[in-house]
Amino acid sequence: MKYSFSYIVRLQFLGFRFSGWQKQTNAKTLHDMVDKTLSFVFEETNYKTIGVGRTDAKVSANTYYIQMFTDKIVEEGIFITSLNANFSPDFRAISIQKVARGFNVINAPKIKEYHYYFSFGEKNHPFSAPFIVNVNENLDLETMQEAAKLFVGEHYFHKYCTRPSEKTMFKRIIDSCEIIENDVLTANFFPETSYIFKVRGKGFLRYQIRLMMATLFEVGKGNLDLQFIEDSLKEDNDRKYMRNNAPSSGLQLYDIELEL
């Protein structure tokens, strides 16, 4: 079906009770929830939505974009109010902007910033579970911070991707990568000290951030060293992906700089 109008809608969501963005059979997904909510907002208006990209199960987003195609012009203020009134509490619509019909949110140039929230040592309050991953043993944070910097720049990420296709491009550029103390996400039931693994770049491979985080955890435990990280990013690495994958609940798509 041909649609007359196209819009970009910015959303936020807590992904803890969902099986990721992409629609699946017999699973509750973020895309399903968005489309079901829009069916109440639009009633008899035809529409179609696509997301800016996939997310893993339980992954949340401070910034996420959908492209929405409709048959009718949308009254932007009324639309956002109506969408939020119908959304479940773990979704919020932030803004809407009309774009050209030829615009494609998937192919548009963008920079993504991911945050992975974690703590270590004493077990966290259970209420923290949707937001912060806890490692029971103590970690060598300084060495982890050194290791995180090694990911910055252009490298070959064969070992940080699962189930790639024949066309997968493993050579990627990471603009910044660091571990800092968390002062972004706070709550009175969070541990006194927690940390953020922050990564920015134009594109990431399947499970890349979680595999990187899991590898940094192993560095922090003393099971891997900095030389391992350096070797893993070379073109001639053994191309076998890292099997330890950090839990998805600590991962958040924090920001997307999208060229409209």
Side-chain angles (χ1 to χ4, degrees), residues 130-146:
F131 312 102
I132 300 178
V133 167
N134 177 252
V135 178
N136 289 331
E137 56 196 280
N138 287 326
L139 300 175
D140 181 347
L141 188 68
E142 290 186 4
T143 303
M144 290 175 66
Q145 290 172 323
E146 290 183 54

Side-chain angles (χ1 to χ4, degrees), residues 200-251:
R200 282 174 57 87
K202 289 184 177 180
F204 296 94
L205 301 166
R206 182 180 177 86
Y207 296 162
Q208 181 178 341
I209 306 297
R210 291 169 59 197
L211 288 166
M212 291 165 63
M213 185 73 258
T215 303
L216 291 173
F217 283 152
E218 292 303 306
V219 170
K221 294 174 184 178
N223 298 328
L224 297 175
D225 58 17
L226 299 181
Q227 188 61 52
F228 177 89
I229 302 291
E230 291 183 357
D231 293 341
S232 73
L233 298 170
K234 295 177 180 177
E235 186 174 9
D236 61 354
N237 69 66
D238 63 16
R239 304 195 176 192
K240 296 178 181 178
Y241 70 87
M242 303 296 296
R243 295 195 174 274
N244 288 338
N245 202 357
S248 56
S249 55
L251 185 60

Side-chain angles (χ1 to χ4, degrees), residues 137-178:
E137 56 196 280
N138 287 326
L139 300 175
D140 181 347
L141 188 68
E142 290 186 4
T143 303
M144 290 175 66
Q145 290 172 323
E146 290 183 54
K149 295 176 184 177
L150 298 176
F151 288 116
V152 177
E154 185 175 77
H155 303 289
Y156 293 85
F157 287 92
H158 304 84
K159 296 185 73 63
Y160 302 94
C161 174
T162 60
R163 298 198 295 274
S165 70
E166 294 181 357
K167 297 181 180 179
T168 298
M169 301 294 292
F170 297 101
K171 189 177 182 180
R172 301 288 173 118
I173 297 175
I174 288 184
D175 296 329
S176 64
C177 186
E178 61 180 347

Side-chain angles (χ1 to χ4, degrees), residues 60 62 113-120 124 128-135 180-186 190 194-198 209 213 217 246-254:
S60 300
N62 181 64
E113 179 175 321
Y114 282 95
H115 288 186
Y116 193 100
Y117 295 87
F118 70 95
S119 64
F120 59 89
N124 291 342
S128 301
F131 312 102
I132 300 178
V133 167
N134 177 252
V135 178
I180 62 171
E181 190 166 322
N182 172 30
D183 61 358
V184 176
L185 201 62
T186 60
F190 280 4
S194 58
Y195 303 91
I196 310 172
F197 175 46
K198 295 176 61 174
I209 306 297
M213 185 73 258
F217 283 152
S248 56
S249 55
L251 185 60
Q252 181 188 114
L253 178 52
Y254 183 75

